[in-house]
Amino acid sequence: MTDATLAYGRGDPYQLHGGRPHEGPASKRIVTGYGFWIFLLSDIVLFSCFFAAYAVLLGQTAGGPRGSEIFDLRSVAAETALLLISSFVCGLAMIAADVRNQRWFQIGMAVTGLLGLGFLALEYREFAGLVGRDAGPTRSAFLSAFFTLVGCHGAHVSVGVLWLLTMMAQVFAKGFRADIMRRLLCFALFWHVLDIIWVAIFSVVYLIGSAA
Amino acid sequence: MSESDLHGPAGLAPGDEEEVRIGPRVLGYVVGLGLAVLLTVTSFFIAGTDLVWQPSIPVALVVLAIAQMGVHLVFFVHITTDPDNTNNVMALAFGLLIVFLVVGGSLWIMSNLNQNMLPMDQIMQMQR
């Protein structure tokens, strides 16, 4: 065994680097993505608390409407489709950004944002309808948990749309600089994770909730 | 997939390479979208059907949801087994542990309380 392999073996006794030589610190892009990923995981933990509250309070309707009476599954299916396609188009826009194609990037981001706004419009209509027929968040513990969980996700989507518009403006004004690309990476992660949380919401809140 | 595709330049994220191949990346998103649509449609179908044993439906919905989250993580968020991704996977595993503890623990404790506590109207009577 040569000195070099000995030194290598000491530095990485479990061969975690897959036989690659030491590379020094990771690039800023990877570090930034990792930091933002940890934030997103903390956000997922936050949502898990709301999910736990919803699951515990599902039956506590206090004589008010049950899930099966207030959920419109066709509207939920439309919201799901809008958010899923917007997540897909967001990925395509990121590819356009990687090949430095300004026009297709802006088109992709605009479509992503419009789909997000469509989602928010459907959700606003649902919430307004519920409040209008005396099924607002103050009606029962079940409805409080419902509005907190779904409303928190809606607030995240709203912030995401604002962020999306900011990124479109930044790329338009400053081009695909390295720091802008890192912000785009974080935005794309945020948008995809919102869709993951929506998967949990439509499965647990709407589909299981309307059966209970 | 060529050799340089498997072992990209050291310290670079996939998008940083000089030459970016669009085709395979678009294909990845299309495959992800197809799988996600398939799982979503199955979920909505299962939720409203009389064809299966009814008590199995919530379990099936949870399994389908977890499968779809996995699809999203792999095809959209690009969580891979790449060495650069090891930290992300470890953080994800820890996050999932916390999520499992919070949700599972809450449900477990609250169902125990529901079983072991007197119904609310009887408590009210005792307080009179």
Side-chain angles (χ1 to χ4, degrees), chain A residues 20 23 27 29-30 34 37 41 44-45 48 52 55-56 73 76-77 80 84 87-88 91 95 98-99 189 192 195-196 199-200 202-203 207-208, chain B residues 10-11 13 16 22 25-26 29-30 33 36-37 40 44 47 61 65 68-69 72 76-77 79 83-84 87-88 91-92 98-99 103 106-107 110:
Chain A
R20 286 203 274 174
E23 296 150 359
S27 74
R29 184 181 160 87
I30 287 175
Y34 180 52
W37 180 235
L41 286 167
I44 289 174
V45 169
S48 80
V56 166
L73 288 187
V76 175
T80 306
L84 180 58
S87 201
F88 172 72
I95 297 177
D98 280 340
V99 296
L189 280 174
H192 291 315
D195 199 21
I196 291 180
V199 170
F202 84 71
S203 299
L207 294 182
I208 294 181
Chain B
D16 286 343
I22 303 179
R25 293 185 62 192
V26 173
Y29 281 103
V30 171
L33 181 70
V37 167
T40 304
F44 275 87
L61 287 173
Q68 189 171 348
M69 288 185 210
H72 281 247
F76 291 167
V77 185
I79 292 292
D84 283 337
N87 287 326
N88 298 348
L92 175 66
I98 302 296
V99 168
V103 176
S106 299
L107 286 174
M110 293 309 286

Short mmCIF file of all heavy atoms in Angstrom, two decimals, chain A residues 20 23 27 29-30 34 37 41 44-45 48 52 55-56 73 76-77 80 84 87-88 91 95 98-99 189 192 195-196 199-200 202-203 207-208, chain B residues 10-11 13 16 22 25-26 29-30 33 36-37 40 44 47 61 65 68-69 72 76-77 79 83-84 87-88 91-92 98-99 103 106-107 110:
data_model
loop_
_atom_site.label_atom_id
_atom_site.label_comp_id
_atom_site.label_asym_id
_atom_site.label_seq_id
_atom_site.Cartn_x
_atom_site.Cartn_y
_atom_site.Cartn_z
N ARG A 20 -13.46 8.37 -5.21
CA ARG A 20 -12.98 9.61 -5.82
C ARG A 20 -11.95 10.26 -4.90
O ARG A 20 -12.07 10.17 -3.68
CB ARG A 20 -14.15 10.56 -6.06
CG ARG A 20 -15.02 10.13 -7.20
CD ARG A 20 -15.78 11.31 -7.75
NE ARG A 20 -17.00 11.52 -7.02
CZ ARG A 20 -17.80 12.58 -7.23
NH1 ARG A 20 -17.49 13.47 -8.13
NH2 ARG A 20 -18.90 12.72 -6.54
N GLU A 23 -11.81 16.36 -2.88
CA GLU A 23 -12.10 17.44 -3.81
C GLU A 23 -12.11 18.81 -3.14
O GLU A 23 -12.39 19.80 -3.78
CB GLU A 23 -13.47 17.21 -4.45
CG GLU A 23 -13.52 15.96 -5.29
CD GLU A 23 -14.90 15.37 -5.31
OE1 GLU A 23 -15.79 15.92 -4.64
OE2 GLU A 23 -15.09 14.36 -5.97
N SER A 27 -18.94 23.06 -3.93
CA SER A 27 -19.18 24.34 -4.59
C SER A 27 -20.30 25.09 -3.88
O SER A 27 -21.11 24.52 -3.17
CB SER A 27 -19.55 24.12 -6.05
OG SER A 27 -20.88 23.62 -6.13
N ARG A 29 -22.90 26.38 -5.02
CA ARG A 29 -24.22 25.95 -5.47
C ARG A 29 -24.73 24.77 -4.65
O ARG A 29 -25.89 24.74 -4.22
CB ARG A 29 -24.14 25.57 -6.96
CG ARG A 29 -25.45 25.20 -7.58
CD ARG A 29 -25.22 24.82 -9.04
NE ARG A 29 -26.31 24.03 -9.56
CZ ARG A 29 -27.40 24.56 -10.08
NH1 ARG A 29 -27.54 25.85 -10.15
NH2 ARG A 29 -28.35 23.77 -10.53
N ILE A 30 -23.83 23.81 -4.38
CA ILE A 30 -24.25 22.63 -3.62
C ILE A 30 -24.53 23.02 -2.16
O ILE A 30 -25.51 22.57 -1.56
CB ILE A 30 -23.17 21.54 -3.72
CG1 ILE A 30 -23.22 20.93 -5.13
CG2 ILE A 30 -23.37 20.47 -2.67
CD1 ILE A 30 -22.15 19.95 -5.41
N TYR A 34 -28.10 22.74 -0.26
CA TYR A 34 -28.21 21.96 0.98
C TYR A 34 -28.86 22.78 2.09
O TYR A 34 -29.77 22.31 2.77
CB TYR A 34 -26.81 21.50 1.41
CG TYR A 34 -26.79 20.69 2.67
CD1 TYR A 34 -27.61 19.57 2.81
CD2 TYR A 34 -25.95 21.02 3.72
CE1 TYR A 34 -27.58 18.83 3.97
CE2 TYR A 34 -25.92 20.29 4.88
CZ TYR A 34 -26.74 19.19 5.00
OH TYR A 34 -26.72 18.45 6.15
N TRP A 37 -32.47 23.19 1.38
CA TRP A 37 -33.14 21.90 1.57
C TRP A 37 -33.45 21.67 3.04
O TRP A 37 -34.51 21.18 3.41
CB TRP A 37 -32.24 20.80 1.00
CG TRP A 37 -32.75 19.41 1.11
CD1 TRP A 37 -32.11 18.35 1.69
CD2 TRP A 37 -33.98 18.88 0.58
NE1 TRP A 37 -32.88 17.22 1.57
CE2 TRP A 37 -34.01 17.51 0.92
CE3 TRP A 37 -35.05 19.44 -0.10
CZ2 TRP A 37 -35.09 16.69 0.56
CZ3 TRP A 37 -36.12 18.62 -0.44
CH2 TRP A 37 -36.12 17.27 -0.11
N LEU A 41 -37.06 21.12 4.77
CA LEU A 41 -37.40 20.01 5.65
C LEU A 41 -38.02 20.53 6.94
O LEU A 41 -38.96 19.93 7.47
CB LEU A 41 -36.16 19.16 5.94
CG LEU A 41 -35.74 18.30 4.76
CD1 LEU A 41 -34.35 17.74 4.97
CD2 LEU A 41 -36.73 17.18 4.53
N ILE A 44 -41.46 21.18 6.20
CA ILE A 44 -42.24 19.94 6.14
C ILE A 44 -42.60 19.49 7.56
O ILE A 44 -43.72 19.02 7.81
CB ILE A 44 -41.46 18.86 5.37
CG1 ILE A 44 -41.41 19.22 3.88
CG2 ILE A 44 -42.08 17.49 5.57
CD1 ILE A 44 -40.56 18.30 3.06
N VAL A 45 -41.66 19.66 8.50
CA VAL A 45 -41.96 19.31 9.89
C VAL A 45 -43.10 20.18 10.42
O VAL A 45 -44.02 19.71 11.10
CB VAL A 45 -40.69 19.44 10.76
CG1 VAL A 45 -41.03 19.36 12.23
CG2 VAL A 45 -39.70 18.37 10.39
N SER A 48 -46.19 18.85 9.16
CA SER A 48 -46.56 17.58 9.80
C SER A 48 -47.30 17.83 11.09
O SER A 48 -48.19 17.05 11.46
CB SER A 48 -45.31 16.73 10.02
OG SER A 48 -44.62 17.17 11.16
N ALA A 52 -50.93 16.38 11.86
CA ALA A 52 -51.27 15.64 13.06
C ALA A 52 -52.52 16.23 13.71
O ALA A 52 -53.43 15.50 14.12
CB ALA A 52 -50.10 15.67 14.04
N ALA A 55 -55.56 15.24 11.67
CA ALA A 55 -55.93 13.83 11.82
C ALA A 55 -56.60 13.60 13.17
O ALA A 55 -57.56 12.84 13.27
CB ALA A 55 -54.69 12.96 11.67
N VAL A 56 -56.10 14.27 14.23
CA VAL A 56 -56.68 14.08 15.56
C VAL A 56 -58.08 14.69 15.63
O VAL A 56 -58.98 14.13 16.25
CB VAL A 56 -55.74 14.70 16.62
CG1 VAL A 56 -56.44 14.83 17.95
CG2 VAL A 56 -54.50 13.84 16.77
N LEU A 73 -64.80 17.27 -4.56
CA LEU A 73 -63.61 16.55 -5.04
C LEU A 73 -63.25 16.93 -6.47
O LEU A 73 -62.09 16.81 -6.86
CB LEU A 73 -63.83 15.04 -4.93
CG LEU A 73 -63.79 14.50 -3.49
CD1 LEU A 73 -63.84 13.00 -3.48
CD2 LEU A 73 -62.56 14.99 -2.74
N VAL A 76 -61.06 19.82 -6.13
CA VAL A 76 -59.76 19.38 -5.61
C VAL A 76 -58.93 18.74 -6.72
O VAL A 76 -57.71 18.97 -6.82
CB VAL A 76 -59.97 18.39 -4.45
CG1 VAL A 76 -58.63 17.83 -3.99
CG2 VAL A 76 -60.67 19.06 -3.29
N ALA A 77 -59.59 17.95 -7.59
CA ALA A 77 -58.88 17.33 -8.70
C ALA A 77 -58.31 18.40 -9.63
O ALA A 77 -57.17 18.29 -10.11
CB ALA A 77 -59.82 16.40 -9.46
N THR A 80 -55.32 19.90 -7.99
CA THR A 80 -54.19 18.97 -8.08
C THR A 80 -53.54 19.04 -9.44
O THR A 80 -52.31 19.10 -9.56
CB THR A 80 -54.69 17.55 -7.79
OG1 THR A 80 -55.38 17.54 -6.55
CG2 THR A 80 -53.56 16.58 -7.75
N LEU A 84 -49.71 20.21 -10.19
CA LEU A 84 -48.80 19.20 -10.73
C LEU A 84 -48.19 19.69 -12.04
O LEU A 84 -46.97 19.60 -12.25
CB LEU A 84 -49.55 17.89 -10.93
CG LEU A 84 -48.74 16.72 -11.48
CD1 LEU A 84 -47.57 16.42 -10.57
CD2 LEU A 84 -49.61 15.50 -11.63
N SER A 87 -45.67 22.39 -11.46
CA SER A 87 -44.39 21.85 -10.99
C SER A 87 -43.58 21.32 -12.17
O SER A 87 -42.37 21.55 -12.27
CB SER A 87 -44.66 20.72 -9.99
OG SER A 87 -43.56 20.49 -9.17
N PHE A 88 -44.27 20.65 -13.10
CA PHE A 88 -43.62 20.11 -14.30
C PHE A 88 -43.04 21.24 -15.15
O PHE A 88 -41.87 21.21 -15.55
CB PHE A 88 -44.66 19.30 -15.08
CG PHE A 88 -44.19 18.83 -16.43
CD1 PHE A 88 -43.25 17.83 -16.54
CD2 PHE A 88 -44.72 19.39 -17.57
CE1 PHE A 88 -42.82 17.40 -17.78
CE2 PHE A 88 -44.31 18.96 -18.82
CZ PHE A 88 -43.35 17.97 -18.92
N GLY A 91 -39.97 22.77 -13.80
CA GLY A 91 -38.76 21.99 -14.11
C GLY A 91 -38.25 22.31 -15.50
O GLY A 91 -37.04 22.47 -15.72
N ILE A 95 -34.60 23.93 -16.90
CA ILE A 95 -33.73 23.43 -17.98
C ILE A 95 -33.40 24.58 -18.93
O ILE A 95 -32.26 24.76 -19.35
CB ILE A 95 -34.42 22.28 -18.73
CG1 ILE A 95 -34.65 21.10 -17.78
CG2 ILE A 95 -33.57 21.82 -19.91
CD1 ILE A 95 -35.40 19.96 -18.39
N ASP A 98 -30.76 26.60 -17.50
CA ASP A 98 -29.44 25.97 -17.56
C ASP A 98 -28.81 26.11 -18.93
O ASP A 98 -27.58 26.15 -19.05
CB ASP A 98 -29.56 24.49 -17.18
CG ASP A 98 -29.63 24.31 -15.68
OD1 ASP A 98 -29.22 25.25 -14.98
OD2 ASP A 98 -30.10 23.26 -15.22
N VAL A 99 -29.62 26.16 -20.00
CA VAL A 99 -29.05 26.38 -21.33
C VAL A 99 -29.08 27.86 -21.69
O VAL A 99 -28.86 28.22 -22.84
CB VAL A 99 -29.77 25.54 -22.41
CG1 VAL A 99 -29.58 24.07 -22.16
CG2 VAL A 99 -31.24 25.88 -22.48
N LEU A 189 -36.69 24.25 -5.93
CA LEU A 189 -36.87 23.31 -4.82
C LEU A 189 -38.14 23.64 -4.04
O LEU A 189 -38.94 22.76 -3.72
CB LEU A 189 -35.67 23.38 -3.88
CG LEU A 189 -34.41 22.62 -4.30
CD1 LEU A 189 -33.29 22.92 -3.33
CD2 LEU A 189 -34.69 21.14 -4.32
N HIS A 192 -41.35 22.68 -5.99
CA HIS A 192 -41.58 21.23 -6.06
C HIS A 192 -42.02 20.70 -4.69
O HIS A 192 -42.89 19.82 -4.62
CB HIS A 192 -40.31 20.52 -6.50
CG HIS A 192 -39.93 20.78 -7.93
ND1 HIS A 192 -40.85 20.76 -8.95
CD2 HIS A 192 -38.76 21.09 -8.51
CE1 HIS A 192 -40.24 21.04 -10.08
NE2 HIS A 192 -38.97 21.25 -9.85
N ASP A 195 -45.61 21.18 -4.05
CA ASP A 195 -46.43 20.17 -4.72
C ASP A 195 -46.43 18.86 -3.93
O ASP A 195 -47.46 18.17 -3.84
CB ASP A 195 -45.88 19.94 -6.14
CG ASP A 195 -46.91 19.29 -7.03
OD1 ASP A 195 -48.11 19.38 -6.69
OD2 ASP A 195 -46.53 18.69 -8.04
N ILE A 196 -45.29 18.52 -3.32
CA ILE A 196 -45.24 17.30 -2.50
C ILE A 196 -46.20 17.42 -1.32
O ILE A 196 -46.92 16.48 -0.98
CB ILE A 196 -43.80 17.05 -2.02
CG1 ILE A 196 -42.91 16.67 -3.21
CG2 ILE A 196 -43.76 15.97 -0.96
CD1 ILE A 196 -41.48 16.40 -2.84
N VAL A 199 -49.69 16.86 -2.37
CA VAL A 199 -50.01 15.43 -2.51
C VAL A 199 -50.54 14.90 -1.19
O VAL A 199 -51.57 14.20 -1.13
CB VAL A 199 -48.78 14.63 -2.97
CG1 VAL A 199 -49.04 13.14 -2.88
CG2 VAL A 199 -48.39 15.00 -4.39
N ALA A 200 -49.84 15.24 -0.09
CA ALA A 200 -50.31 14.79 1.22
C ALA A 200 -51.66 15.39 1.55
O ALA A 200 -52.53 14.73 2.12
CB ALA A 200 -49.28 15.16 2.29
N PHE A 202 -54.15 16.50 -0.54
CA PHE A 202 -55.33 15.97 -1.23
C PHE A 202 -55.60 14.53 -0.83
O PHE A 202 -56.76 14.09 -0.82
CB PHE A 202 -55.24 16.16 -2.77
CG PHE A 202 -54.47 15.12 -3.53
CD1 PHE A 202 -54.97 13.84 -3.70
CD2 PHE A 202 -53.27 15.44 -4.15
CE1 PHE A 202 -54.27 12.89 -4.43
CE2 PHE A 202 -52.57 14.51 -4.88
CZ PHE A 202 -53.08 13.22 -5.01
N SER A 203 -54.55 13.77 -0.46
CA SER A 203 -54.79 12.39 -0.04
C SER A 203 -55.41 12.34 1.36
O SER A 203 -56.44 11.70 1.57
CB SER A 203 -53.47 11.60 -0.03
OG SER A 203 -52.92 11.57 -1.30
N LEU A 207 -59.35 13.26 0.40
CA LEU A 207 -59.85 11.94 0.05
C LEU A 207 -60.18 11.12 1.29
O LEU A 207 -61.27 10.55 1.41
CB LEU A 207 -58.83 11.22 -0.84
CG LEU A 207 -58.63 11.88 -2.21
CD1 LEU A 207 -57.64 11.10 -3.05
CD2 LEU A 207 -59.95 12.00 -2.95
N ILE A 208 -59.24 11.05 2.26
CA ILE A 208 -59.55 10.31 3.49
C ILE A 208 -60.56 11.09 4.32
O ILE A 208 -61.46 10.52 4.93
CB ILE A 208 -58.24 10.05 4.28
CG1 ILE A 208 -57.34 9.11 3.50
CG2 ILE A 208 -58.56 9.47 5.65
CD1 ILE A 208 -56.06 8.76 4.18
N ALA B 10 -15.60 17.14 -10.79
CA ALA B 10 -15.67 17.17 -9.34
C ALA B 10 -16.25 18.49 -8.85
O ALA B 10 -15.91 19.55 -9.34
CB ALA B 10 -14.27 16.98 -8.76
N GLY B 11 -17.15 18.40 -7.87
CA GLY B 11 -17.64 19.60 -7.21
C GLY B 11 -18.64 20.41 -7.99
O GLY B 11 -18.94 21.53 -7.63
N ALA B 13 -22.52 20.78 -9.54
CA ALA B 13 -23.87 20.25 -9.57
C ALA B 13 -24.21 19.92 -11.02
O ALA B 13 -23.57 20.45 -11.94
CB ALA B 13 -24.84 21.28 -9.02
N ASP B 16 -24.27 22.53 -13.74
CA ASP B 16 -23.13 23.42 -13.93
C ASP B 16 -22.25 23.02 -15.11
O ASP B 16 -21.35 23.77 -15.48
CB ASP B 16 -22.27 23.42 -12.67
CG ASP B 16 -22.94 24.21 -11.57
OD1 ASP B 16 -23.84 24.97 -11.89
OD2 ASP B 16 -22.58 24.02 -10.40
N ILE B 22 -30.30 18.51 -23.07
CA ILE B 22 -31.69 18.85 -22.75
C ILE B 22 -32.57 17.61 -22.79
O ILE B 22 -33.38 17.39 -21.90
CB ILE B 22 -32.21 19.90 -23.74
CG1 ILE B 22 -31.32 21.14 -23.70
CG2 ILE B 22 -33.64 20.29 -23.40
CD1 ILE B 22 -31.74 22.22 -24.66
N ARG B 25 -33.00 15.25 -19.74
CA ARG B 25 -33.58 15.94 -18.58
C ARG B 25 -35.07 16.17 -18.78
O ARG B 25 -35.87 15.97 -17.85
CB ARG B 25 -32.86 17.27 -18.36
CG ARG B 25 -31.41 17.07 -17.94
CD ARG B 25 -30.75 18.38 -17.62
NE ARG B 25 -31.40 19.06 -16.51
CZ ARG B 25 -31.15 20.31 -16.18
NH1 ARG B 25 -30.31 21.01 -16.89
NH2 ARG B 25 -31.75 20.86 -15.16
N VAL B 26 -35.46 16.59 -20.00
CA VAL B 26 -36.89 16.76 -20.27
C VAL B 26 -37.60 15.42 -20.11
O VAL B 26 -38.67 15.33 -19.51
CB VAL B 26 -37.11 17.34 -21.68
CG1 VAL B 26 -38.59 17.35 -22.03
CG2 VAL B 26 -36.54 18.74 -21.77
N TYR B 29 -38.42 14.66 -16.55
CA TYR B 29 -39.61 15.36 -16.05
C TYR B 29 -40.89 14.74 -16.61
O TYR B 29 -41.91 14.63 -15.91
CB TYR B 29 -39.54 16.85 -16.39
CG TYR B 29 -38.66 17.64 -15.47
CD1 TYR B 29 -37.40 18.04 -15.86
CD2 TYR B 29 -39.08 17.97 -14.19
CE1 TYR B 29 -36.57 18.75 -15.01
CE2 TYR B 29 -38.26 18.68 -13.33
CZ TYR B 29 -37.02 19.07 -13.75
OH TYR B 29 -36.21 19.77 -12.90
N VAL B 30 -40.84 14.33 -17.92
CA VAL B 30 -42.04 13.74 -18.52
C VAL B 30 -42.39 12.43 -17.82
O VAL B 30 -43.55 12.16 -17.50
CB VAL B 30 -41.83 13.54 -20.04
CG1 VAL B 30 -42.98 12.74 -20.63
CG2 VAL B 30 -41.72 14.88 -20.73
N LEU B 33 -43.86 13.24 -14.49
CA LEU B 33 -45.24 13.72 -14.62
C LEU B 33 -46.19 12.56 -14.90
O LEU B 33 -47.26 12.46 -14.30
CB LEU B 33 -45.33 14.76 -15.74
CG LEU B 33 -46.72 15.36 -15.98
CD1 LEU B 33 -47.11 16.26 -14.83
CD2 LEU B 33 -46.77 16.14 -17.28
N ALA B 36 -46.72 10.54 -11.77
CA ALA B 36 -47.50 11.30 -10.79
C ALA B 36 -48.98 11.32 -11.19
O ALA B 36 -49.86 11.13 -10.35
CB ALA B 36 -46.96 12.72 -10.66
N VAL B 37 -49.25 11.54 -12.49
CA VAL B 37 -50.64 11.56 -12.95
C VAL B 37 -51.28 10.20 -12.71
O VAL B 37 -52.41 10.10 -12.21
CB VAL B 37 -50.70 11.94 -14.45
CG1 VAL B 37 -52.08 11.65 -15.01
CG2 VAL B 37 -50.36 13.41 -14.63
N THR B 40 -52.02 9.86 -9.04
CA THR B 40 -53.10 10.75 -8.62
C THR B 40 -54.45 10.21 -9.07
O THR B 40 -55.41 10.15 -8.28
CB THR B 40 -52.88 12.15 -9.21
OG1 THR B 40 -51.59 12.61 -8.84
CG2 THR B 40 -53.92 13.12 -8.71
N PHE B 44 -57.72 9.17 -6.73
CA PHE B 44 -59.08 9.69 -6.82
C PHE B 44 -60.07 8.58 -7.17
O PHE B 44 -61.21 8.58 -6.70
CB PHE B 44 -59.14 10.82 -7.86
CG PHE B 44 -58.77 12.16 -7.29
CD1 PHE B 44 -57.44 12.56 -7.24
CD2 PHE B 44 -59.72 13.02 -6.77
CE1 PHE B 44 -57.08 13.79 -6.71
CE2 PHE B 44 -59.38 14.24 -6.24
CZ PHE B 44 -58.05 14.63 -6.21
N ALA B 47 -60.67 6.37 -4.03
CA ALA B 47 -61.44 7.04 -2.98
C ALA B 47 -62.93 6.95 -3.23
O ALA B 47 -63.73 6.94 -2.29
CB ALA B 47 -61.01 8.51 -2.88
N LEU B 61 -54.84 4.79 0.11
CA LEU B 61 -54.59 6.20 -0.19
C LEU B 61 -53.26 6.66 0.39
O LEU B 61 -52.50 7.39 -0.26
CB LEU B 61 -55.73 7.07 0.35
CG LEU B 61 -57.05 6.97 -0.42
CD1 LEU B 61 -58.14 7.73 0.30
CD2 LEU B 61 -56.87 7.53 -1.82
N ALA B 65 -50.10 7.94 -1.73
CA ALA B 65 -49.54 9.27 -1.49
C ALA B 65 -48.04 9.18 -1.25
O ALA B 65 -47.27 9.98 -1.79
CB ALA B 65 -50.23 9.92 -0.29
N GLN B 68 -46.32 8.60 -4.48
CA GLN B 68 -46.25 9.78 -5.33
C GLN B 68 -45.22 10.78 -4.80
O GLN B 68 -44.52 11.43 -5.59
CB GLN B 68 -47.62 10.44 -5.43
CG GLN B 68 -47.61 11.54 -6.47
CD GLN B 68 -48.98 12.09 -6.77
OE1 GLN B 68 -49.99 11.52 -6.38
NE2 GLN B 68 -49.00 13.20 -7.47
N MET B 69 -45.12 10.90 -3.45
CA MET B 69 -44.09 11.79 -2.92
C MET B 69 -42.70 11.28 -3.32
O MET B 69 -41.81 12.08 -3.63
CB MET B 69 -44.19 11.84 -1.39
CG MET B 69 -45.40 12.61 -0.91
SD MET B 69 -45.34 12.74 0.88
CE MET B 69 -47.06 12.79 1.25
N HIS B 72 -42.08 12.35 -6.85
CA HIS B 72 -41.74 13.77 -6.92
C HIS B 72 -40.30 14.01 -6.46
O HIS B 72 -39.56 14.79 -7.07
CB HIS B 72 -42.69 14.59 -6.03
CG HIS B 72 -44.02 14.83 -6.65
ND1 HIS B 72 -44.45 16.06 -7.03
CD2 HIS B 72 -45.01 13.98 -6.98
CE1 HIS B 72 -45.65 15.97 -7.57
NE2 HIS B 72 -46.02 14.71 -7.54
N PHE B 76 -38.52 15.23 -9.70
CA PHE B 76 -38.62 16.68 -9.70
C PHE B 76 -37.56 17.32 -8.80
O PHE B 76 -36.91 18.28 -9.19
CB PHE B 76 -40.02 17.12 -9.27
CG PHE B 76 -41.11 16.80 -10.25
CD1 PHE B 76 -42.44 16.88 -9.91
CD2 PHE B 76 -40.79 16.41 -11.55
CE1 PHE B 76 -43.44 16.58 -10.82
CE2 PHE B 76 -41.78 16.11 -12.47
CZ PHE B 76 -43.11 16.19 -12.10
N VAL B 77 -37.42 16.82 -7.58
CA VAL B 77 -36.46 17.41 -6.65
C VAL B 77 -35.06 16.85 -6.90
O VAL B 77 -34.07 17.42 -6.46
CB VAL B 77 -36.91 17.17 -5.19
CG1 VAL B 77 -36.02 17.87 -4.20
CG2 VAL B 77 -38.34 17.67 -5.00
N ILE B 79 -33.50 14.03 -5.83
CA ILE B 79 -32.77 13.36 -4.76
C ILE B 79 -32.21 12.07 -5.35
O ILE B 79 -32.97 11.22 -5.80
CB ILE B 79 -33.71 13.05 -3.58
CG1 ILE B 79 -34.17 14.34 -2.91
CG2 ILE B 79 -33.04 12.14 -2.58
CD1 ILE B 79 -33.09 15.08 -2.19
N PRO B 83 -22.80 10.96 -4.68
CA PRO B 83 -22.08 11.38 -3.46
C PRO B 83 -22.36 12.82 -3.05
O PRO B 83 -22.45 13.13 -1.87
CB PRO B 83 -20.61 11.22 -3.86
CG PRO B 83 -20.62 10.21 -4.92
CD PRO B 83 -21.91 10.35 -5.66
N ASP B 84 -22.54 13.72 -4.05
CA ASP B 84 -22.86 15.11 -3.72
C ASP B 84 -24.20 15.23 -3.01
O ASP B 84 -24.51 16.25 -2.41
CB ASP B 84 -22.90 15.96 -4.99
CG ASP B 84 -21.50 16.28 -5.47
OD1 ASP B 84 -20.59 16.23 -4.63
OD2 ASP B 84 -21.33 16.57 -6.67
N ASN B 87 -25.53 14.29 1.76
CA ASN B 87 -26.01 15.14 2.85
C ASN B 87 -27.51 15.41 2.73
O ASN B 87 -28.23 15.41 3.72
CB ASN B 87 -25.26 16.47 2.84
CG ASN B 87 -23.85 16.30 3.34
OD1 ASN B 87 -23.61 15.48 4.21
ND2 ASN B 87 -22.94 17.06 2.77
N ASN B 88 -27.98 15.64 1.49
CA ASN B 88 -29.40 15.90 1.29
C ASN B 88 -30.23 14.70 1.72
O ASN B 88 -31.28 14.84 2.35
CB ASN B 88 -29.68 16.20 -0.19
CG ASN B 88 -28.96 17.44 -0.67
OD1 ASN B 88 -28.44 18.19 0.14
ND2 ASN B 88 -28.93 17.65 -1.96
N ALA B 91 -30.31 14.47 5.52
CA ALA B 91 -31.22 15.47 6.09
C ALA B 91 -32.66 15.04 5.87
O ALA B 91 -33.51 15.16 6.77
CB ALA B 91 -30.97 16.83 5.44
N LEU B 92 -32.95 14.49 4.67
CA LEU B 92 -34.31 14.02 4.38
C LEU B 92 -34.71 12.92 5.34
O LEU B 92 -35.81 12.91 5.88
CB LEU B 92 -34.38 13.53 2.93
CG LEU B 92 -35.70 12.90 2.52
CD1 LEU B 92 -36.81 13.94 2.53
CD2 LEU B 92 -35.59 12.27 1.14
N ILE B 98 -38.61 12.87 12.12
CA ILE B 98 -39.36 13.83 12.93
C ILE B 98 -40.84 13.81 12.53
O ILE B 98 -41.74 13.80 13.38
CB ILE B 98 -38.78 15.25 12.78
CG1 ILE B 98 -37.31 15.26 13.18
CG2 ILE B 98 -39.56 16.25 13.62
CD1 ILE B 98 -37.06 14.94 14.61
N VAL B 99 -41.09 13.81 11.20
CA VAL B 99 -42.48 13.79 10.73
C VAL B 99 -43.20 12.56 11.26
O VAL B 99 -44.33 12.64 11.77
CB VAL B 99 -42.51 13.83 9.19
CG1 VAL B 99 -43.90 13.51 8.68
CG2 VAL B 99 -42.06 15.18 8.68
N VAL B 103 -46.47 12.88 13.72
CA VAL B 103 -47.79 12.43 13.28
C VAL B 103 -48.17 11.14 13.99
O VAL B 103 -49.25 11.03 14.59
CB VAL B 103 -47.80 12.25 11.75
CG1 VAL B 103 -49.13 11.69 11.30
CG2 VAL B 103 -47.53 13.59 11.07
N SER B 106 -48.70 11.68 17.82
CA SER B 106 -49.95 12.39 18.12
C SER B 106 -51.14 11.46 18.00
O SER B 106 -52.00 11.40 18.88
CB SER B 106 -50.13 13.58 17.18
OG SER B 106 -49.09 14.49 17.33
N LEU B 107 -51.20 10.72 16.88
CA LEU B 107 -52.35 9.84 16.68
C LEU B 107 -52.42 8.77 17.76
O LEU B 107 -53.50 8.47 18.28
CB LEU B 107 -52.26 9.19 15.29
CG LEU B 107 -52.58 10.11 14.13
CD1 LEU B 107 -52.31 9.40 12.82
CD2 LEU B 107 -54.03 10.55 14.20
N MET B 110 -53.41 10.39 21.22
CA MET B 110 -54.79 10.88 21.26
C MET B 110 -55.79 9.74 21.21
O MET B 110 -56.85 9.80 21.84
CB MET B 110 -55.03 11.86 20.11
CG MET B 110 -54.25 13.14 20.23
SD MET B 110 -54.41 13.97 21.81
CE MET B 110 -56.04 14.64 21.69
#
